[in-house]
Amino acid sequence: MKFFNPEIALEKYVVAKYYIKTTDKGDLKKAAWELAIGQSVGNPNVRNQWETEEIFEMSSCVIMHEEDELKGKNEGEVKIGFPVINTDWEGDGVSHLLCQVMGGQMDIETFESCRLKELQFTDEVKKYFLGPKYGISGMREFTNTYNKPFSGAIVKPKTGMSPHVLLEMVKELVEGGVNFIKEDEILSNPSFCPLNVRVPLIAEYLKDKNVVYAFCINGDHHTILERAKFVAENGGNAIHVNFWSGFGVYNSIRKLDLPLFMHFQKSGDKVITDKRHAFGIDWNVICQLAGMMGVDTIHAGMWGGYLSDDEDDLRQTISVLHNHNVIPALSCGMHPGLVQANVRQFGNDFIANVGGAIHGHPSGTLAGAKAMRQAIDKQHGPEYNTAIDKWGLVE
């Protein structure tokens, strides 16, 4: 078995690229070995009688460098090939993949930091992931919206409303011209606004309207799958799942092949993705996985709001999502005065997703929705002018 080999047969491996920094107890060669062996066949430093040459040949990870290339270095990029055969791609999916690529190396004292930067999949693996059911093209067709961003709205307050109060809010948002409405991640199935009441109520109102409405169905996996089916069976057209519900659940929902748009909500992701952390996964890797698993829309980030991502980083994220036909939602401080500035930066294929600047408009929710519609259509009226007076205009 050749453990150091930059020329592996790529069709047999998922390739993970890391940026690793070692402690004073080792170098990159040692870290790469401990990761590769520890995350495939066994203990990084202790061999046993059961480890045959055949097992190593079939199931051991491969370090995709020449043996001396990493020696003596304390930090840098390392590429590891994970054997495709170690995973049941139909059943194990993303959950087991992440267990392999971001698992036991965190427990080894050689590692001061370890960040997953890229994943490369073979076509044989990709076939197990369905991608978006609708995505950008499907959303444009459903909402009959072309050559401009989608107008998105977020339910606020996040929780506390009854289903009938929520319905009145939805009516104002629809009258104001939104294309997409998202319940917030805090609202799932509380006793005062249960899914079994609000889903048929909202769906009945929207049944002849080309507006996507994402019901929040956060929960444990068995519950989420039942809730997704309930939404579809009762006339809903979209669901919202926060990433804390688990990456694999998006894949499981998509495999149900329900007539639902699926929204991936990132709130809380920095626990995993923040670049300041010693151990983490780059946000673009998560966006790649989300696209493969089949989400249609995703909270990608924001530029110019109370969240303002680095412009180049956000542009790269949007590119990753567009490559998978996923719609980026730009949110966290979006307002009418920011819409066209974001169009100039990133093009038209995004949802301008708004909570505060719609519901906090001086004239109320209906006026706030109209102001966003006017900003997107570039047909300005009094509602837009009032919003600009309140929040400003980014030229």
Side-chain angles (χ1 to χ4, degrees):
M1 171 70 188
K2 190 176 180 182
F3 293 103
F4 289 84
N5 184 6
E7 304 298 331
I8 62 173
L10 291 175
E11 69 274 8
K12 295 182 179 181
Y13 296 89
V14 172
V15 177
K17 184 167 81 173
Y18 301 90
Y19 194 89
I20 296 171
K21 186 175 182 180
T22 64
T23 64
D24 58 4
K25 298 183 182 297
D27 59 17
L28 278 182
K29 179 182 177 182
K30 183 173 187 285
W33 170 265
E34 291 174 338
L35 195 164
I37 302 303
Q39 289 308 102
S40 55
V41 295
N43 186 296
N45 301 306
V46 180
R47 307 278 56 85
N48 68 62
Q49 70 188 84
W50 311 106
E51 295 175 348
T52 64
E53 181 65 23
E54 289 77 16
I55 284 178
F56 276 110
E57 191 68 40
M58 179 178 69
S59 291
S60 176
C61 288
V62 177
I63 303 159
M64 296 174 62
H65 301 266
E66 297 293 350
E67 187 163 356
D68 292 333
E69 182 183 344
L70 304 175
K71 190 174 182 180
K73 297 179 181 179
N74 294 115
E75 63 180 291
E77 290 186 348
V78 175
K79 293 175 72 174
I80 305 289
F82 288 79
V84 168
I85 199 170
N86 287 354
T87 302
D88 167 14
W89 292 100
E90 180 64 39
D92 299 347
V94 167
S95 299
H96 188 56
L97 170 68
L98 290 173
C99 179
Q100 294 174 74
V101 299
M102 289 301 286
Q105 69 264 38
M106 314 302 173
D107 304 325
I108 301 174
E109 63 180 3
T110 303
F111 289 79
E112 182 173 311
S113 65
C114 180
R115 187 164 199 86
L116 180 61
K117 303 287 292 182
E118 290 181 12
L119 285 172
Q120 179 182 335
F121 296 92
T122 70
D123 289 340
E124 179 66 21
V125 170
K126 288 179 182 177
K127 75 180 185 182
Y128 289 98
F129 297 93
L130 301 178
K133 187 172 181 67
Y134 300 106
I136 299 170
S137 51
M139 177 84 91
R140 293 214 174 278
E141 181 178 357
F142 182 82
T143 62
N144 193 29
T145 301
Y146 299 95
N147 303 315
K148 64 181 72 172
F150 300 96
S151 179
I154 306 168
V155 170
K156 303 287 183 181
K158 292 185 175 185
T159 190
M161 288 183 292
S162 70
H164 292 281
V165 172
L166 176 60
L167 176 61
E168 293 308 308
M169 176 191 291
V170 170
K171 289 178 179 179
E172 292 195 14
L173 292 172
V174 172
E175 185 180 344
V178 303
N179 307 119
F180 174 85
I181 303 171
K182 176 185 77 71
E183 295 179 347
D184 218 304
E185 67 272 5
I186 304 301
L187 182 66
S188 186
N189 192 39
S191 60
F192 50 81
C193 196
L195 276 163
N196 66 354
V197 176
R198 76 178 191 268
V199 170
L201 189 69
I202 302 298
E204 175 64 23
Y205 168 70
L206 291 174
K207 68 180 182 181
D208 57 350
K209 299 172 178 63
N210 56 347
V211 174
V212 175
Y213 185 96
F215 293 95
C216 179
I217 60 169
N218 291 335
D220 291 335
H221 285 199
H222 67 290
T223 303
I224 286 180
L225 296 180
E226 290 305 312
R227 288 175 178 172
K229 288 185 273 190
F230 177 83
V231 171
E233 290 166 359
N234 286 273
N237 60 25
I239 52 174
H240 160 168
V241 182
N242 182 265
F243 97 102
W244 280 121
S245 292
F247 294 109
V249 78
Y250 299 97
N251 202 28
S252 296
I253 294 169
R254 181 64 185 90
K255 287 178 179 178
L256 294 175
D257 198 26
L258 300 171
L260 297 172
F261 290 85
M262 179 163 50
H263 177 74
F264 181 117
Q265 181 63 27
K266 75 191 285 288
S267 299
D269 73 284
K270 284 189 176 179
V271 170
I272 294 173
T273 62
D274 194 297
K275 295 179 180 180
R276 295 168 291 184
H277 295 338
F279 297 91
I281 303 175
D282 272 13
W283 174 234
N284 286 344
V285 174
I286 291 178
C287 288
Q288 174 193 11
L289 294 174
M292 290 173 61
M293 290 185 292
V295 308
D296 299 282
T297 67
I298 187 169
H299 179 197
M302 182 60 195
W303 179 81
Y306 62 81
L307 167 65
S308 191
D309 292 305
D310 177 83
E311 179 184 325
D312 291 336
D313 286 350
L314 184 54
R315 185 173 289 110
Q316 186 178 6
T317 294
I318 291 171
S319 177
V320 169
L321 294 171
H322 284 173
N323 286 340
H324 288 276
N325 194 28
V326 177
I327 311 164
L330 302 185
S331 180
C332 288
M334 179 66 77
H335 60 73
L338 276 170
V339 171
Q340 294 305 322
N342 275 270
V343 169
R344 290 190 292 272
Q345 296 282 9
F346 308 114
N348 284 318
D349 286 328
F350 68 89
I351 301 172
N353 220 25
V354 184
I358 284 182
H359 304 296
H361 190 283
S363 299
T365 293
L366 176 57
K370 288 182 176 180
M372 280 300 299
R373 180 78 270 157
Q374 292 164 11
I376 288 171
D377 293 345
K378 295 188 283 190
Q379 297 178 354
H380 303 156
E383 294 85 2
Y384 172 85
N385 294 331
T386 299
I388 298 304
D389 288 342
K390 184 174 178 66
W391 286 291
L393 176 65
V394 177
E395 298 287 355

